[in-house]
Amino acid sequence: MGNHVVNLTFHGIGDPPASADPGEAAVWVTKPRYREILDQIRGRDEVQLSFDDGNASDLRVGLPELLARDLRADFFVIVDLIGQPGYLSLDGLRELKAAGCGVGSHGLAHRAWRGLEVEALRAEVEDSKHRLEDWLGASVEHAACPFGAYDRRALRALRQAGYARVYTSDGGHDSPSAWLQARTSIHRSDTIEDVGKMLHDNHWLAQTKRRAKRMLKRWR
C-alpha cells in the first residue's frame, strides 16, 4: 500500500430512484462507468473502496462486479433504512459480510453529526453500532460521517464508542494508519479521466490546504 491511501466512495449504481433529490442523484454512477473505474483501480493496493447509504444496488450491482475482479469494499449503511424499499435487506447486509466486505455505520437516520445534541449524537454513533453488531454477530469497527460533517464533539463520541477508524468526505490522499480517513466521492458527472486525477492528486500544496481545513474541522 505504500505511504498513502486513496479512498474512493460510491453511493448508488445505475439509475437513481425517482424520489432521489438532486444532491443524491448526482452521486449515482452509471453501470458502465462503475465497471470502468473498477478496471482502472484493479491491482492498485493503495486504492480503497467504500459505499455509503446502503442502497440496494450495492448488492445487486456493486458486489458482483467487485467479486469478478477480486476486489472488496466497505459498506457504510444507514441503519434505520435497512429493509426499506430501495435499500439493503438484513439478509443482503449479511451477504456482503459473508463475501469478505466490511460493514460499518453511517448512522441511524442520515443526519449530519456536527452540532447534534448529546443524546442524539450518542444514538447515531453508539446505537447504530450496537444494532449492526447484533444483526451481524460481529464487531463493527468503522464508521463514515454522513455528509462528511464532523466536529470535535462528534470525533470524541466516535472514539468513546470504540471505532477503530472513521471516514470523512474531505478528499485527497491519506496515511494508511490515520484514524480519521479522508475520502473522495465519485459523482455521476465524473469521467474516467477525472478518476485518474483523483488517484494521482497528491500535490503538496493541495494536500497542505486539505490538512489545514481538516484541522479546523477537528477543533470547531
Side-chain angles (χ1 to χ4, degrees):
M1 187 176 294
N3 61 1
H4 77 274
V5 63
V6 185
N7 295 296
L8 300 182
T9 308
F10 296 101
H11 291 76
I13 310 297
D15 294 323
S19 59
D21 61 40
E24 183 182 354
V27 288
W28 277 67
V29 301
T30 65
K31 294 178 185 178
R33 180 55 40 79
Y34 175 61
R35 296 185 186 108
E36 279 187 302
I37 294 170
L38 294 190
D39 288 338
Q40 186 179 32
I41 62 95
R42 185 178 184 179
R44 299 188 58 157
D45 293 340
E46 80 278 14
V47 181
Q48 304 294 307
L49 303 176
S50 58
F51 290 71
D52 280 359
D53 300 343
N55 287 297
S57 65
D58 292 358
L59 183 66
R60 187 177 63 252
V61 183
L63 182 62
E65 296 292 346
L66 289 171
L67 296 181
R69 296 163 178 81
D70 198 26
L71 295 171
R72 298 297 185 274
D74 288 317
F75 292 82
F76 295 100
V77 301
I78 303 167
V79 171
D80 280 349
L81 294 182
I82 295 299
Q84 298 299 312
Y87 292 90
L88 291 167
S89 66
L90 186 51
D91 285 343
L93 200 62
R94 291 170 175 153
E95 188 173 339
L96 292 173
K97 185 73 173 176
C101 293
V103 174
S105 173
H106 202 40
L108 288 178
H110 205 225
R111 52 183 173 173
W113 293 343
R114 181 188 176 195
L116 281 182
E117 296 295 330
V118 172
E119 278 306 304
L121 180 58
R122 183 201 59 75
E124 286 289 327
V125 302
E126 292 186 22
D127 291 357
S128 64
K129 183 178 192 291
H130 296 157
R131 283 170 62 182
L132 284 173
E133 289 175 336
D134 287 344
W135 288 341
L136 297 171
S139 63
V140 170
E141 299 184 344
H142 296 173
C145 301
F147 310 106
Y150 61 92
D151 53 20
R152 59 182 174 178
R153 289 178 57 254
L155 297 182
R156 186 185 310 118
L158 288 158
R159 285 192 182 277
Q160 291 174 345
Y163 288 102
R165 184 156 292 176
V166 174
Y167 293 85
T168 71
S169 301
D170 291 326
H173 297 186
D174 218 326
S175 165
S177 62
W179 178 75
L180 195 65
Q181 288 278 324
R183 299 185 301 169
T184 301
S185 290
I186 305 295
H187 289 74
R188 195 173 188 86
S189 60
D190 287 330
T191 65
I192 200 67
E193 290 77 20
D194 291 330
V195 176
K197 292 176 183 178
M198 295 173 192
L199 300 179
H200 296 96
D201 182 18
N202 200 28
H203 188 273
W204 68 269
L205 181 58
Q207 288 293 91
T208 298
K209 289 180 178 178
R210 289 193 185 99
R211 282 195 292 268
K213 184 177 180 180
R214 290 171 68 185
M215 286 299 295
L216 289 173
K217 292 171 75 173
R218 284 174 185 244
W219 289 104
R220 64 189 174 186

